[in-house]
Amino acid sequence: MHTPAHSGVGDLLSYACDRPLPAGTLVRVPLGRRDVLGVVWDAEDAPGELPEGATLRAIAGVLDGVAPLDRSWRRLVAFAARYYQRALGEVALAALPPQLRDLQPEQLARRLRRPAKALAAEGGTDAIKNIALSAEQESARARIASEPGPFLLFGSTGSGKTEVYLRCVQEALEADPAAQALVMVPEINLTPQLEERFTARFAPRFGSQAVVSLHSGMTPPQRLKSWLAAHSGVARIVLGTRMAVFASLPGLQLIVVDEEHDPSYKQQEGARYSARDLAVWRGREQGAKVLLGSATPSLESWHASRPPTPEDPEGGRYLRLHMPSRIGAGALARVRRVDMNQQPRRTVFSAPLLQAITERVARGEQSMVLLNRRGYAPVLHCTDCGWKSDCPHCSAHQVFHKTDRTLRCHHCGYTVRVPLHCPACGSPDIHSMGRGTEQLEEQLAALLRNVQRPDGNPARIARIDADTTKAKGALEAQLAQVHSGEVDVLVGTQMIAKGHDFRRITLVAAVQPDGALFSSDFRAPERLFALLMQAAGRAGRDAAYVAAQGTQSEMWVQTYHPQHAVYEALRKHDYEAFAAQQLRERAEAAMPPFAYQALVRADARTQEVAQGFLSAATAAAHAAGLPGLDVVTLFPPVPLTVQRVANMERAQMLMESPSRAALQRFLAAWQPVLQATRAQPAHKGLVRWLVDVDPLTI
Ligand code: ADP
Ligand code: ZN
Ligand code: ZN
């Protein structure tokens, strides 16, 4: 039986019940003075003999209306808990819809009766209207149908990957009336688009209940409804974000992970799981095919799908499928680099870029301008005394937001009104430094003041970022404006670079992408390249439109390092060359995917306490001669890049090993040592610690 992880209760607990319950049954059990949700666990994992004289408490109720969670679901949860070093109960409960935790058995029974009525009527039998696949698509489809996988579908933006997903899903569902498919996308805001496409395709054939979504933007009742539909087999297709990897899908036969390289597949709190990696594990475990898709695969997946060579006759464990051609879309955007060393100092929009945007507005085409920093400016400062708008609670600046005249910390949320005078010396001479999307929007409006659209109206500029899309439905409304052509230039963060099918955008510009080139994070160039390739893929998506306009789609990059390998590869749209170069570097430095990593992070009021805990736990690990240590390197603790957040000092240490199994063995053995270390009086000041296995940012 399983219960929540907080208050240290994380493992299996025993309860009495007057009838035998199969493993996977959902129950309510007393814990302390509360009733909580639990899952009956497999007898072979039971905690063993009860202590002398102990008596069992009885379970409070059984959630009868819900079939027990099947063995493959339980194995997935148990694996995730073990692999990511979290309590089983925590992972199991986080994997269930939150409302299940709150509903009493009677309430749930009522809920279950309701949708049952609506369901029966449905059951379309209409044939699916398929479009003819291109030769590349057909070849990918055929191999997916005939081989076990996992597959890496490496296809340019607009190569028709989604069409391949649709066809594979269809084949799986038609072959077996109980079959289910799971399709994952990285961002919530991409799910409505995808849902529309899947529903349009499959509702006529499998009924309107066949397609459901699962993501954190849904209300608790919606989530419960989708979850139950998947669990009961009524839903044949589940579309969702990373959390959907834990959906109960008894008939699962196919898992698609679209944009598999996207960092948002990695959960960044609680159990820090990778939904992509769990998808691969789950597929193998449950006998479902796994299809990863991307135009810029993660180097891990790219390496795992390397074809066999004479020196490496095995090759990788994934099968790589290649779709280089764009369908229905124009040629890939021409990449234009602007050498900012040649531009006047403080230039935001170089003259040639501004000229290009202006021409496009005048022709009625749309442009997109990217900057990965929201707000007006990253910091305010005083020219008299040097004061800066530092967050009092973090080692970070408060960002200047002009729209509502606030200074906001993007790490802890601490917000104050913008001061009129320097808070330190009283000088009125305070200025902003650097720029964010708000400022870009403002400057662009000024620069395009006299530019007219073909209809004679002035150019219209819109901004989309986390600030403009906070309200529910705001993003949809703003995207609709872009699609309808009301907007000429769209300014935004990476939020707009992903996935959206803008039909009339012919120019995309990254105005200041250099930051990532010299980051201490070894994955930064990989992420930048993926982002720029994806952004470039937003331009010229509609070949007919591009042809009718007689235009050429372009991707502009303003940079101080025009010769950098990232931009060279981008210019040629050459992911393969980029990946090969990065993998060579990674191999030489013995970094992932040629090594496996984990982090332990410690938070405390002082950096000394945080690092002290990590050092002590390391010493204890060596003293105990823990298994795996001979092939696991433990690096010394260091402060995080943003060292203090919300008055908490943060430190971390890295572990690395060429063997994943050895790292896992070590982590499992270290867990109790970390716990024991924490209990020592010397580490009283430690607030929390956590393990991040296969961390994405270091
Ligand atoms: P990707 O997911 O690789 O970016 P999509 O599957 O969204 O690409 O396809 C891009 C565009 O091409 C879409 O508008 C889609 O409807 C169209 N398309 C895909 N496959 C075909 C095909 N075989 N014939 C005609 N149009 C297609
Ligand atoms: Zn001052
Ligand atoms: Zn702060």
Side-chain angles (χ1 to χ4, degrees), residues 361-603:
V361 173
R363 289 205 300 265
E365 296 167 27
Q366 296 175 309
S367 300
M368 185 164 110
V369 175
L370 288 172
L371 178 68
N372 236 350
R373 190 190 278 151
R374 62 197 170 83
Y376 189 85
V379 59
L380 279 189
H381 86 129
C382 167
T383 38
D384 284 336
C385 75
W387 168 86
K388 283 198 175 122
S389 58
D390 291 330
C391 175
H393 308 295
C394 307
S395 47
H397 300 306
Q398 277 183 294
V399 175
F400 173 34
H401 288 256
K402 195 170 177 182
T403 321
D404 57 2
R405 310 265 342 144
T406 57
L407 290 176
R408 273 189 251 157
C409 174
H410 288 184
H411 295 279
C412 74
Y414 182 69
T415 302
V416 294
R417 290 199 58 74
V418 171
L420 295 173
H421 303 278
C422 170
C425 74
S427 159
D429 232 6
I430 46 180
H431 299 278
S432 61
M433 294 201 300
R435 68 193 71 86
T437 45
E438 271 184 30
Q439 192 175 158
L440 274 195
E441 181 189 17
E442 182 186 284
Q443 289 180 335
L444 207 50
L447 291 166
L448 299 179
R449 200 173 46 239
N450 299 318
V451 178
Q452 287 181 351
R453 301 150 48 111
D455 63 8
N457 285 318
R460 267 174 273 188
I461 295 149
R463 169 167 60 94
I464 296 186
D465 57 29
D467 295 319
T468 67
T469 53
K470 257 183 254 155
K472 199 167 166 55
L475 176 65
E476 291 75 10
Q478 289 166 21
L479 289 174
Q481 280 192 334
V482 182
H483 288 298
S484 73
E486 264 174 75
V487 171
D488 302 298
V489 185
L490 176 61
V491 174
T493 52
Q494 58 173 327
M495 199 172 189
I496 54 174
K498 289 184 186 176
H500 301 287
D501 194 14
F502 299 120
R503 309 304 288 177
R504 291 174 50 201
I505 287 188
T506 59
L507 181 150
V508 177
V511 291
Q512 203 179 40
D514 283 347
L517 295 180
F518 307 101
S519 160
S520 59
D521 185 343
F522 68 88
R523 281 196 179 83
E526 178 186 354
R527 275 198 296 270
L528 175 64
F529 184 76
L531 179 67
L532 293 177
M533 286 282 279
Q534 211 159 23
R538 297 311 105 211
R541 290 184 72 79
D542 189 339
Y545 176 74
V546 171
Q549 287 289 111
T551 191
Q552 150 88 58
S553 60
E554 288 177 341
M555 166 86 208
W556 286 67
V557 174
Q558 298 192 142
T559 169
Y560 289 92
H561 308 276
Q563 310 308 326
H564 196 283
V566 168
Y567 302 134
E568 279 295 334
L570 178 71
R571 187 174 66 80
K572 301 187 206 126
H573 299 279
D574 195 348
Y575 168 82
E576 296 189 57
F578 176 75
Q581 175 258 331
Q582 287 283 308
L583 282 175
R584 267 195 308 277
E585 282 183 16
R586 300 264 188 103
E588 271 161 34
M591 282 192 299
F594 304 97
Y596 298 89
Q597 297 180 326
L599 289 174
V600 188
R601 201 179 97 191
D603 292 358

Side-chain angles (χ1 to χ4, degrees), residues 19-43:
R19 58 178 159 125
L21 294 174
T25 305
L26 288 163
V27 290
R28 295 203 65 87
V29 295
L31 184 71
R33 273 182 293 173
R34 295 186 312 137
D35 255 9
V36 297
L37 180 69
V39 182
V40 176
W41 217 251
D42 303 75

